[in-house]
C-alpha cells in the first residue's frame, strides 16, 4: 500500500500538454491510465478511530471537499468536524447511454464509509463528463438512465446527493444542460428527501453556458472551480487562485468570478468558492517576480511544499504578493524557478473574503493534498465556524483588492463587529469610485437597517474619511454598475473594546415588608450601562408568578400542568418535566400565549431548544401583541431563530400583515439549550435579540408599536421547549414595590415565616452589549396583624370579681400569626378600659397567662388587663379584658378590720387539702388545667374546710375556684 500512496503524489505532476483541460480531468485521466482504477486499489479497510476529539466549534459555512478515488488512506487525516460535504470523485458517464464507465468502487470505498460514520459530513457522488456533451444531453433515454442509476447508487450507499462536473460545455448545450439539472434535482429531491444536487462552475465562463434562470431554484448549490487561473502552460508566472488582481494585465480573479456569477443570477447563499490545495512551480527566465516562464510548470501539493524535501520552499525564499494575497517561493536550484501556492495566511484571506462576500462557503480540490498538515483545517475552524471573531484591527478595501480596480456588477454587504467592541475607529486613506454610479454605503450598526453615518452613501472621490462608530459594529454595502471601474477605497480600522461585563447589586434588606417599600440598585460598568431592568415576582404558597398587568411575568414551569393563565391556541403544548414542550412538527404556526401589559422598555428572557426533523425549523416569540387570536397576533413583533438556515430574523406585524426586517447569520443547533433574550424599547423602536448573550440581530422601527396586551411563543415545523420565562421592565436606581392588593406588584404574604413571598431580580446591559449576571433578593411579606383571641380575667374562666389585693391574674388562648409568626406578647393592667396606669406593657414571651404579684390594689376598684400581641413583621394587635372587681366580704376581715388571709395547704397535696379562713357561704369548685371540673367532698373541721377529691388525680396543676359575691382562683399541685 505504501507504493500506491506514493503514486498518488507523483500523479499530480502534470504539464502544459494538458492545457485546455481542468485539473479534475487531467488527474482523472492520468490515474485511469495507471491501471489502478478502483478506490480500493489505494485504500486499506476503514477502521473506526479509537479517539476522536470533537471540535468545540461548529461549521456555519459549507466546506465541500472532493475526495479523488486515488486518495488512498489520506482520508484518515480528514477533519470531519470541519468538512460539511465529501464528494467522491467520480462516476464517469458513458455519453452514449448514461451508464457508468466506472464508479471507482464508490459503493465500497473506505473513505466514503468513514465519512458516513463521522456523523458530521454529508457524502455526495461526483459525476464527470468531459466530452460528447451533445450526444448525452440530446438523448432523453441516456439522461434518464443516468438519473436512475445515480438515485439507486446514492440511496443504496446511504449518501446524500450528487455533484455534476460536466466540463467544456459548448454554448449550444446551455439550455439542454440547465433543463437536465432541473430534472435531475427534482427527481433526486422526490426520491431521496433532503438530498442535495450541485454542479460545478468554471473559474471563467468564457461562453456563458450556465443558465441560472432555468436552474433556479431546483439546484441546491453551485461550486466555482476557483483554480488554474495561471496553469502549467502559462507564459508568465502567477497565482493558481488569485484572490484579487495580480500584476497589471491579467484581471481574472476569485473575487471577479464571484461577482460574475452572482450578477448572472446565482444566489449568494448557494454559491461555493472552490479553492486549491495545490499550486504550480515553473522554471523562469529571471528571478524577478513575476517572470516569464522558460518551460512548463509542475503542480505541487500543499503537503509537498510543507514537507519541503527539496529544501527550496524555505522562509528565506518566500515572498508575499499583497495584491492577490498569494505566497511565492523564488529560488535557484541551477535554474531560476518560482512556485505559487497559498500558505495558511493566503488561505485565511480567501476564507475572510468568503465571509465578506456572503457566499455559502468553500470547496477544496482536493482532499488529501494537505495530508498530515493541519494548517488549512485550523484556518477553516477559525473563520467558517461559530468560533469566528472579527479582529480588533484590520484593513478594509473594495473587492478589487488593496491597490487594484474593483469589478463591475459588485453588490456586497459585510459587517465589521469585533467582539466586545464598544466602538470602532475607521480611517480611509484613499477613495475613488465612479461618481454617480458606484456607491459605498456605511451603516452605524450591525445591518443595513442601522442608521447611515453622515455623508453615506459615498461616491466619487469623497469618502468616509475618519469616523468612529457609535456602537461595536459597522456594516458596509458596496455596489458597482455595468461599466467604468476605479481604484476603489482603502482604509483601516481599530476597535475600542470592552470585555468586562457589568454588574448589578440589590441593596441587602432583611426587614419584613408590611406595605409598599423601596428597593435600591447599584449598577456598575467600566464603560457605561445601556439598559437596566428588574422583575418583581410573588409566591402564593405553591409557585412563583408575577403580576402581568404591571408588566412583569414569571413562569418557572415547575407545575404538573400548564398554568391557567396560558392559552394553548395552536400546537401540541404540554408539560415536560420542568419545561413546556411543543411537539407538533407539522404545525407551521403554533401559538402559546398569555396576557401581559406592555408599554415600556421590556426584556423577554427564557431558556429553551428548537428541534425536530424538518428542513425549515424555526421558533421564537411574538411580543407587544394586541390580538393573539390572529395568525400574526394583530399588531406585534416577532423574533425567529432558524436552525436550517442559521438565521435570526426580526419581523414587524401590522394589522396582522407580517414583514421581515432582518435576516442575520447566527449559528443555531438543533436540540441545544440556549439562553434567549429579546429587548424592545417602544420609545426608540430599537429591538435587540440575543442568543447565549451574543447579539443575534438588531433593528430600529421608526414607527414603533407603543403598547401590547399579550405575548405568544411561536414555532414552525419543529419541536420547541420553553423554560424559566421572565419578563423584566426597565428601571431607575431606586424603585417602589407595591404591596397588598390584587393590583400590586406583590399580591401575596408569606405562606409561613420561613418562606419569602416576594422576589426582585435585576439585570443590566452595558454599551458593549454585555449582560450582567442576574442578581436577586427575596423579601418576607406580612401586612396583617396577629390573629384575635379571647382574653379572660382570672386564671381559668373569665371572672368578674377577685379578693386578693396583692395579685391579679389573666389568661388567653395561644396566639398565632400564619405569615410571620409571633415575636412577643406584652401585658398591662389599668384602672380603666385599655389603661396601663397600674402596670405598663411588660414583655412575657409567647405564653397564655400571667400572675402579677406584689400589687397594692384598692378594694372596690375594677382592674382591666390589656394584651399586646406583636408578630415578626412588627405588626401588633391589642386586646382588652372586660375587667375584674376587687371585693372583700366582712366575714373575711379580722377584728382590726384587716383582710384575713385565706390559705390552702398542703401544697403540693395528695388527694386531700385544707382551706383556712374561708367565708362560710363560699362555694368551692375544682378544675384541671383543661377546664374539666373535678368532683370533691367538703367537711368542716374548726376554722378550716377539708376537701377530698372523689376521683384519682394525675400529677400536675389544678385550679381551686372560690365563688361568693365574686370569684377567686388559686393554683394547686397534685403530688407524684
Amino acid at each position: 500500500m505504501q507504493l500506491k500512496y506514493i503514486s498518488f503524489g507523483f500523479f499530480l505532476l502534470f504539464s502544459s500538454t494538458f492545457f485546455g483541460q481542468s485539473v479534475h480531468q487531467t488527474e482523472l485521466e492520468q490515474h485511469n491510465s495507471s491501471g489502478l482504477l478502483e478506490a480500493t486499489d489505494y485504500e486499506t479497510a476503514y477502521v473506526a478511530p479509537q479517539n476522536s476529539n470533537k471540535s468545540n466549534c461548529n461549521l456555519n459555512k459549507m466546506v465541500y471537499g472532493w475526495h479523488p478515488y486515488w486518495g488512498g488512506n489520506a482520508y484518515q487525516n480528514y477533519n470531519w468536524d470541519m468538512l460539511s460535504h465529501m464528494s467522491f470523485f467520480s462516476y464517469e458517464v458513458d455519453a452514449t447511454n448514461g451508464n457508468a464507465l466506472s464508479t471507482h468502487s464508490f459503493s465500497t470505498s473506505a473513505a466514503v464509509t468513514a465519512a458516513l460514520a463521522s456523523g458530521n459530513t454529508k457524502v455526495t457522488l461526483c459525476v464527470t463528463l468531459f466530452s460528447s456533451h451533445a450526444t448525452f444531453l440530446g438523448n432523453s433515454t441516456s439522461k434518464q438512465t443516468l438519473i436512475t442509476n445515480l438515485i439507486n447508487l446514492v440511496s443504496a450507499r446511504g449518501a446524500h446527493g450528487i455533484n455534476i462536473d460536466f466540463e467544456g460545455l459548448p454554448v449550444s448545450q446551455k439550455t439542454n444542460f440547465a433543463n437536465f439539472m432541473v430534472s435531475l434535482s427534482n427527481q433526486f429531491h422526490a426520491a431521496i428527501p433532503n438530498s442535495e444536487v450541485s454542479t460545478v462552475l468554471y473559474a471563467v465562463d468564457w461562453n456563458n453556458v450556465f443558465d441560472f434562470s432555468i436552474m433556479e431554484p431546483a439546484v441546491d448549490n453551485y461550486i466555482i472551480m476557483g483554480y488554474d487561473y495561471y496553469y502549467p502552460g502559462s507564459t508568465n508566472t502567477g497565482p493558481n487562485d488569485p484572490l484579487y488582481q495580480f500584476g497589471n494585465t491579467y484581471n481574472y480573479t476569485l473575487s471577479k468570478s464571484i461577482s460574475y456569477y452572482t450578477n448572472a443570477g446565482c444566489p449568494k447563499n448557494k454559491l461555493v468558492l472552490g479553492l486549491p490545495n495545490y499550486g504550480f512551480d515553473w522554471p523562469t527566465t529571471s528571478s524577478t517576480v513575476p517572470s516569464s516562464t522558460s518551460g512548463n510548470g509542475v503542480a505541487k501539493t500543499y503537503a509537498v511544499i510543507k514537507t519541503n524535501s527539496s529544501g527550496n520552499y524555505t522562509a528565506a525564499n518566500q515572498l508575499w504578493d499583497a495584491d492577490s494575497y498569494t505566497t511565492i517561493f523564488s529560488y535557484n536550484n541551477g535554474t531560476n524557478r518560482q512556485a505559487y501556492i497559498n500558505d495558511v495566511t493566503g488561505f485565511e484571506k480567501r476564507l475572510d473574503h468568503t465571509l465578506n462576500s456572503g457566499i455559502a462557503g468553500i470547496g477544496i480540490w482536493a482532499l488529501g493534498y494537505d495530508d498530515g498538515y493541519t494548517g488549512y483545517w485550523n484556518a477553516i475552524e477559525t473563520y467558517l465556524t461559530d468560533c469566528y471573531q472579527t479582529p480588533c484591527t484590520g484593513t478594509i478595501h473594495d473587492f478589487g483588492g488593496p491597490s487594484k480596480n474593483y469589478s463591475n456588477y459588485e453588490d456586497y454587504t459585510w459587517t465589521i463587529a469585533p467582539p466586545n467592541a464598544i466602538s470602532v475607529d475607521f480611517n480611509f486613506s484613499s477613495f475613488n469610485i465612479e461618481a454617480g454610479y458606484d456607491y459605498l454605503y456605511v451603516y452605524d450598526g450591525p445591518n443595513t437597517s442601522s442608521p447611515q453615518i453622515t455623508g453615506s452613501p459615498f461616491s466619487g472621490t469623497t469618502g468616509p474619511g475618519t469616523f468612529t462608530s457609535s456602537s461595536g459594529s459597522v456594516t458596509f454595502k458596496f455596489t458597482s454598475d455595468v461599466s467604468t471601474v476605479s481604484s476603489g477605497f482603502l482604509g483601516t480600522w481599530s476597535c475600542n473594546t470592552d470585555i468586562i461585563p457589568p454588574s448589578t447589586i440589590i441593596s441587602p434588606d432583611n426587614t419584613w415588608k408590611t406595605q409598599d417599600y423601596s428597593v435600591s440598585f447599584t449598577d456598575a460598568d467600566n464603560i457605561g450601562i445601556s439598559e437596566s431592568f428588574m422583575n418583581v415576582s410573588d409566591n402564593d404558597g405553591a409557585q412563583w408568578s408575577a403580576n402581568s398587568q404591571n408588566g412583569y411575568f414569571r413562569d418557572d414551569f415547575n407545575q404538573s400542568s400548564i398554568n391557567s393563565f396560558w392559552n394553548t391556541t395552536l400546537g401540541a403544548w404540554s408539560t415536560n418535566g420542568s419545561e413546556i414542550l411543543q411537539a407538533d412538527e407539522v404545525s407551521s404556526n403554533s401559538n402559546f400565549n398569555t396576557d401581559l401589559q406592555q408599554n415600556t422598555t421590556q426584556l423577554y428572557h427564557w431558556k429553551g431548544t428548537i428541534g425536530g426533523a424538518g428542513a425549515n425549523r424555526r421558533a421564537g416569540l411574538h411580543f407587544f401583541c394586541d390580538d393573539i387570536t390572529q395568525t400574526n397576533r394583530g399588531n406585534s413583533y416577532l423574533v425567529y431563530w432558524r436552525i436550517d438556515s442559521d438565521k435570526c430574523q426580526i419581523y414587524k406585524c401590522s394589522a396582522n400583515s407580517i414583514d421581515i426586517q432582518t435576516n442575520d447569520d447566527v449559528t443555531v443547533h438543533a436540540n441545544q439549550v440556549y439562553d434567549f433574550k429579546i429587548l424592545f424599547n417602544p420609545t426608540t423602536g430599537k429591538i435587540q435579540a440575543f442568543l447565549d448573550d451574543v447579539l443575534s440581530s438588531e433593528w430600529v422601527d421608526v414607527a414603533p408599536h407603543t403598547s401590547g396586551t399579550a405575548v405568544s411563543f411561536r414555532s414552525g415545523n419543529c419541536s420547541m421547549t420553553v423554560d424559566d420565562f421572565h419578563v423584566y421592565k426597565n428601571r431607575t436606581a431606586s424603585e417602589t414595590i407595591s404591596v397588598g392588593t390584587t393590583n400590586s406588584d406583590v399580591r401575596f404574604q408569606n405562606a409561613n415565616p420561613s418562606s419569602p413571598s416576594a422576589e426582585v431580580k435585576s439585570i443590566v446591559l452595558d454599551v458593549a452589549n454585555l449582560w450582567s449576571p442576574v442578581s436577586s433578593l427575596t423579601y418576607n411579606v406580612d401586612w396583617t396583624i396577629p390573629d384575635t383571641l379571647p382574653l379572660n380575667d382570672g386564671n381559668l374562666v373569665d371572672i368578674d370579681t377577685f379578693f386578693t389585693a396583692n395579685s391579679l391574674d389573666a389568661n388567653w388562648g395561644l396566639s398565632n400569626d400564619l405569615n410571620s409568626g409571633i415575636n412577643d406578647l406584652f401585658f398591662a393592667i389599668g384602672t380603666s378600659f385599655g389603661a396601663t396606669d397600674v402596670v405598663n406593657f411588660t414583655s412575657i414571651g409567647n405564653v397564655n397567662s400571667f400572675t402579677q404579684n406584689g400589687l397594692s390594689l384598692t378594694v372596690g376598684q375594677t382592674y382591666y388587663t390589656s394584651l399586646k400581641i406583636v408578630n415578626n413583621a412588627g405588626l401588633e394587635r391589642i386586646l382588652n379584658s372586660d375587667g375584674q372587681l376587687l371585693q372583700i366580704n366582712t366575714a373575711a376581715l379580722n377584728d382590726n378590720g384587716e383582710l384575713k388571709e385565706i390559705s390552702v395547704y398542703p401544697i403540693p397535696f395528695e388527694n386531700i387539702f385544707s382551706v383556712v379562713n374561708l367565708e362560710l357561704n363560699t362555694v368551692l369548685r375544682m378544675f384541671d388545667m383543661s377546664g374539666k371540673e373535678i368532683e370533691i367532698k367538703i367537711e368542716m373541721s374548726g376554722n378550716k374546710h377539708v376537701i377530698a377529691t372523689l376521683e384519682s388525680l394525675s400529677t400536675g396543676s389544678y385550679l381551686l375556684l372560690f365563688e361568693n359575691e365574686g370569684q377567686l382562683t388559686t393554683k394547686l399541685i397534685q403530688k407524684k
Side-chain angles (χ1 to χ4, degrees):
M1 295 306 298
Q2 184 177 9
L3 291 176
K4 295 175 183 178
Y5 177 73
I6 292 174
S7 68
F8 152 57
F10 285 165
F11 278 154
L12 197 56
L13 308 180
F14 57 85
S15 67
S16 62
T17 57
F18 301 105
F19 172 64
Q21 295 183 172
S22 75
V23 64
H24 294 197
Q25 180 181 356
T26 300
E27 292 194 63
L28 180 63
E29 291 177 355
Q30 283 190 331
H31 284 86
N32 284 350
S33 66
S34 71
L36 300 173
L37 301 178
E38 305 300 325
T40 51
D41 291 332
Y42 296 88
E43 300 170 338
T44 55
Y46 167 70
V47 178
Q50 296 301 307
N51 296 302
S52 179
N53 296 321
K54 183 172 176 60
S55 172
N56 292 323
C57 304
N58 302 284
L59 282 173
N60 51 23
K61 291 286 186 180
M62 182 179 291
V63 178
Y64 197 107
W66 284 281
H67 172 81
Y69 78 81
W70 58 87
N73 294 327
Y75 73 87
Q76 296 175 2
N77 286 327
Y78 295 175
N79 187 337
W80 300 113
D81 288 345
M82 296 298 111
L83 186 63
S84 64
H85 294 71
M86 188 193 84
S87 189
F88 182 85
F89 189 89
S90 70
Y91 177 113
E92 295 185 58
V93 179
D94 185 336
T96 62
N97 55 30
N99 287 318
L101 294 171
S102 176
T103 65
H104 298 289
S105 301
F106 168 73
S107 297
T108 55
S109 164
V112 172
T113 301
L116 293 171
S118 73
N120 299 306
T121 304
K122 294 181 179 181
V123 174
T124 67
L125 176 59
C126 184
V127 182
T128 55
L129 181 64
F130 301 125
S131 62
S132 304
H133 303 93
T135 300
F136 173 73
L137 293 171
N139 188 322
S140 60
T141 301
S142 297
K143 289 186 287 188
Q144 188 55 53
T145 297
L146 175 62
I147 293 172
T148 301
N149 289 348
L150 295 177
I151 289 174
N152 291 337
L153 269 173
V154 169
S155 179
R157 193 62 161 108
H160 305 91
I162 290 294
N163 172 239
I164 299 298
D165 182 5
F166 286 9
E167 299 180 24
L169 276 169
V171 68
S172 62
Q173 296 303 311
K174 176 177 182 176
T175 301
N176 281 345
F177 176 74
N179 288 329
F180 165 72
M181 288 302 303
V182 171
S183 179
L184 173 67
S185 298
N186 290 340
Q187 291 188 57
F188 247 91
H189 294 153
I192 306 176
N194 301 316
S195 59
E196 298 180 12
V197 175
S198 63
T199 187
V200 300
L201 306 175
Y202 311 148
V204 181
D205 184 12
W206 299 104
N207 296 317
N208 187 26
V209 298
F210 297 108
D211 193 333
F212 296 100
S213 67
I214 296 176
M215 290 190 290
E216 270 302 294
V219 178
D220 296 297
N221 291 108
Y222 307 88
I223 308 173
I224 301 173
M225 296 189 293
Y227 25 85
D228 295 357
Y229 290 86
Y230 285 78
Y231 56 95
S234 292
T235 58
N236 291 285
T237 60
N240 184 24
D241 59 335
L243 181 54
Y244 306 115
Q245 184 176 343
F246 176 74
N248 297 313
T249 55
Y250 191 72
N251 192 28
Y252 291 96
T253 67
L254 295 173
S255 177
K256 190 173 183 180
S257 296
I258 293 172
S259 296
Y260 169 82
Y261 282 117
T262 55
N263 179 68
C266 180
K268 286 183 183 178
N269 65 351
K270 292 186 176 183
L271 185 60
V272 177
L273 178 63
L275 297 172
N277 274 9
Y278 70 96
F280 295 110
D281 186 323
W282 290 273
T284 59
T285 58
S286 71
S287 60
T288 303
V289 176
S291 173
S292 298
T293 59
S294 60
N296 293 328
V298 292
K300 299 292 183 181
T301 65
Y302 178 80
V304 167
I305 296 294
K306 294 297 291 182
T307 302
N308 190 26
S309 58
S310 66
N312 297 318
Y313 308 116
T314 64
N317 296 331
Q318 185 172 331
L319 303 172
W320 172 253
D321 180 59
D323 287 329
S324 65
Y325 290 144
T326 304
T327 300
I328 305 167
F329 294 94
S330 179
Y331 64 95
N332 189 302
N333 62 352
T335 302
N336 287 321
R337 298 193 69 90
Q338 291 176 17
Y340 290 67
I341 184 171
N342 281 310
D343 205 344
V344 171
T345 301
F347 187 65
E348 288 178 337
K349 289 293 185 180
R350 284 147 181 79
L351 301 184
D352 188 55
H353 186 85
T354 298
L355 293 177
N356 291 339
S357 61
I359 61 174
I362 67 163
I364 299 172
W365 182 270
L367 295 172
Y369 288 179
D370 61 344
D371 189 38
Y373 295 94
T374 61
Y376 281 6
W377 295 115
N378 293 340
I380 291 170
E381 184 171 20
T382 299
Y383 280 84
L384 302 187
T385 69
D386 53 12
C387 292
Y388 174 74
Q389 295 183 338
T390 306
C392 194
T393 60
T395 300
I396 180 173
H397 53 70
D398 59 84
F399 283 27
S403 66
K404 297 298 192 296
N405 291 352
Y406 57 86
S407 301
N408 297 320
Y409 309 117
E410 293 195 358
D411 186 359
Y412 298 106
T413 300
W414 70 102
T415 298
I416 294 173
N420 304 309
I422 58 173
S423 63
V424 187
D425 298 327
F426 287 88
N427 181 17
F428 283 79
S429 57
S430 62
F431 192 89
N432 183 14
I433 62 178
E434 184 186 9
Y437 295 95
D438 302 340
Y439 295 94
L440 176 67
Y441 301 79
V442 185
Y443 300 90
D444 192 2
N447 51 52
T448 56
S449 296
S450 305
Q452 296 187 48
I453 69 166
T454 303
S456 177
F458 300 95
S459 190
T461 57
T462 302
T466 300
F467 71 93
T468 299
S469 65
S470 65
S471 67
S473 57
V474 178
T475 300
F476 294 89
K477 178 179 175 64
F478 180 68
T479 62
S480 62
D481 67 355
V482 299
S483 63
T484 310
V485 295
S486 298
S487 58
F489 52 87
L490 177 65
T492 59
W493 84 76
S494 61
C495 69
N496 305 301
T497 61
D498 178 13
I499 61 173
I500 302 173
S503 64
T504 180
I505 299 173
I506 305 173
S507 297
D509 186 352
N510 59 3
T511 61
W512 280 82
K513 303 306 175 187
T514 61
Q515 58 187 354
D516 295 356
Y517 63 97
S518 178
V519 176
S520 297
F521 305 87
T522 302
D523 305 326
D525 187 64
N526 59 316
I527 302 296
I529 300 294
S530 172
E531 299 282 356
S532 301
F533 296 97
M534 75 174 187
N535 174 275
V536 182
S537 57
D538 52 15
N539 194 307
D540 63 0
Q543 67 171 332
W544 288 98
S545 62
N547 192 341
S548 62
Q549 293 308 303
N550 289 359
Y552 301 111
F553 194 87
R554 175 176 178 175
D555 194 341
D556 301 333
F557 299 110
N558 290 328
Q559 304 302 303
S560 59
S561 60
I562 296 174
N563 277 310
S564 59
F565 46 74
W566 286 102
N567 303 303
T568 55
T569 305
L570 292 170
W573 300 90
S574 63
T575 56
N576 182 44
S578 60
E579 63 187 10
I580 293 296
L581 168 66
Q582 197 295 113
D584 183 0
E585 297 182 32
V586 176
S587 175
S588 61
N589 183 356
S590 68
N591 185 344
F592 184 61
N593 62 77
T594 186
D595 292 340
L596 176 68
Q597 189 63 39
Q598 299 154 93
N599 53 23
T600 186
T601 303
Q602 282 163 293
L603 169 66
Y604 310 86
H605 182 201
W606 75 96
K607 292 179 174 61
T609 63
I610 307 172
N616 185 23
R617 294 166 290 178
R618 68 271 187 201
L621 178 74
H622 278 279
F623 51 97
F624 267 65
C625 313
D626 69 355
D627 188 350
I628 47 87
T629 65
Q630 297 195 57
T631 54
N632 294 312
R633 293 32 164 195
N635 294 303
S636 72
Y637 297 99
L638 169 66
V639 175
Y640 250 165
W641 281 270
R642 292 181 175 268
I643 295 177
D644 301 291
S645 57
D646 284 326
K647 295 290 184 182
C648 181
Q649 300 169 327
I650 299 175
Y651 296 82
K652 182 178 182 180
C653 309
S654 299
N656 206 46
S657 176
I658 189 167
D659 295 299
I660 189 170
Q661 307 298 332
T662 68
N663 188 40
D664 293 318
D665 292 334
V666 60
T667 301
V668 188
H669 298 298
N671 300 312
Q672 180 168 322
V673 177
Y674 286 104
D675 181 283
F676 297 90
K677 289 185 177 75
I678 300 171
L679 183 160
F680 175 52
N681 185 328
T683 301
T684 64
K686 185 176 184 179
I687 298 173
Q688 291 179 295
F690 296 83
L691 189 68
D692 281 349
D693 287 344
V694 177
L695 186 65
S696 294
S697 190
E698 180 179 291
W699 177 61
V700 176
D701 186 0
V702 296
H705 300 317
T706 57
S707 66
T709 58
V711 293
S712 171
F713 284 100
R714 174 173 176 169
S715 63
N717 303 117
C718 69
S719 61
M720 176 187 190
T721 64
V722 179
D723 194 13
D724 293 336
F725 181 48
H726 290 67
V727 179
Y728 295 73
K729 286 169 50 177
N730 64 322
R731 61 162 174 80
T732 61
S734 179
E735 293 289 343
T736 297
I737 310 301
S738 59
V739 169
T741 69
T742 57
N743 296 323
S744 298
D745 299 328
V746 178
R747 301 159 294 174
F748 306 107
Q749 304 175 82
N750 276 31
N752 56 66
S754 61
S755 299
S757 65
E759 183 172 26
V760 173
K761 294 185 176 183
S762 175
I763 187 171
V764 297
L765 179 70
D766 72 9
V767 295
N769 287 325
L770 299 176
W771 287 98
S772 73
V774 174
S775 175
S776 64
L777 193 66
T778 57
Y779 299 85
N780 291 306
V781 179
D782 183 0
W783 61 72
T784 56
I785 62 177
D787 297 341
T788 188
L789 43 84
L791 173 59
N792 301 316
D793 293 307
N795 275 339
L796 184 61
V797 296
D798 186 59
I799 63 175
D800 296 321
T801 60
F802 70 110
F803 305 104
T804 56
N806 63 347
S807 66
L808 182 144
D809 302 294
N811 71 90
W812 51 89
L814 285 174
S815 56
N816 187 35
D817 186 285
L818 175 66
N819 309 119
S820 61
I822 299 301
N823 179 270
D824 203 354
L825 277 71
F826 301 81
F827 78 91
I829 303 172
T831 56
S832 62
F833 187 83
T836 61
D837 53 317
V838 177
V839 177
N840 203 356
F841 278 112
T842 302
S843 172
I844 55 171
N846 193 8
V847 297
N848 66 341
S849 66
F850 75 87
T851 298
Q852 181 66 31
N853 296 310
L855 300 174
S856 297
L857 305 179
T858 302
V859 175
Q861 175 67 51
T862 298
Y863 292 92
Y864 299 86
T865 298
S866 296
L867 182 68
K868 182 192 296 183
I869 309 170
V870 182
N871 66 17
N872 284 309
L875 300 174
E876 60 185 46
R877 180 185 291 276
I878 296 179
L879 304 173
N880 296 288
S881 74
D882 60 359
Q884 50 185 314
L885 174 66
L886 178 58
Q887 284 187 340
I888 300 297
N889 294 324
T890 56
L893 300 178
N894 60 25
D895 294 338
N896 297 321
E898 297 171 343
L899 181 66
K900 298 178 182 178
E901 182 177 354
I902 300 174
S903 61
V904 179
Y905 68 90
I907 297 178
F909 71 99
E910 186 173 0
N911 299 320
I912 297 175
F913 57 89
S914 299
V915 179
V916 180
N917 291 332
L918 184 67
E919 187 178 351
L920 293 177
N921 60 349
T922 299
V923 176
L924 294 177
R925 299 172 68 188
M926 186 174 177
F927 299 86
D928 66 16
M929 299 306 291
S930 69
K932 175 189 173 184
E933 187 167 359
I934 306 299
E935 187 177 358
I936 60 175
K937 176 182 179 182
I938 303 174
E939 294 182 356
M940 290 296 299
S941 176
N943 68 338
K944 65 180 179 181
H945 291 69
V946 179
I947 296 97
T949 60
L950 298 181
E951 55 184 285
S952 178
L953 299 182
S954 60
T955 301
S957 298
Y958 295 85
L959 292 175
L960 187 62
L961 176 65
F962 303 86
E963 291 183 325
N964 198 321
E965 296 182 9
Q967 292 180 331
L968 180 68
T969 60
T970 188
K971 184 180 289 186
L972 304 173
I973 300 176
Q974 166 78 354
K975 284 184 178 181
K976 294 183 179 179

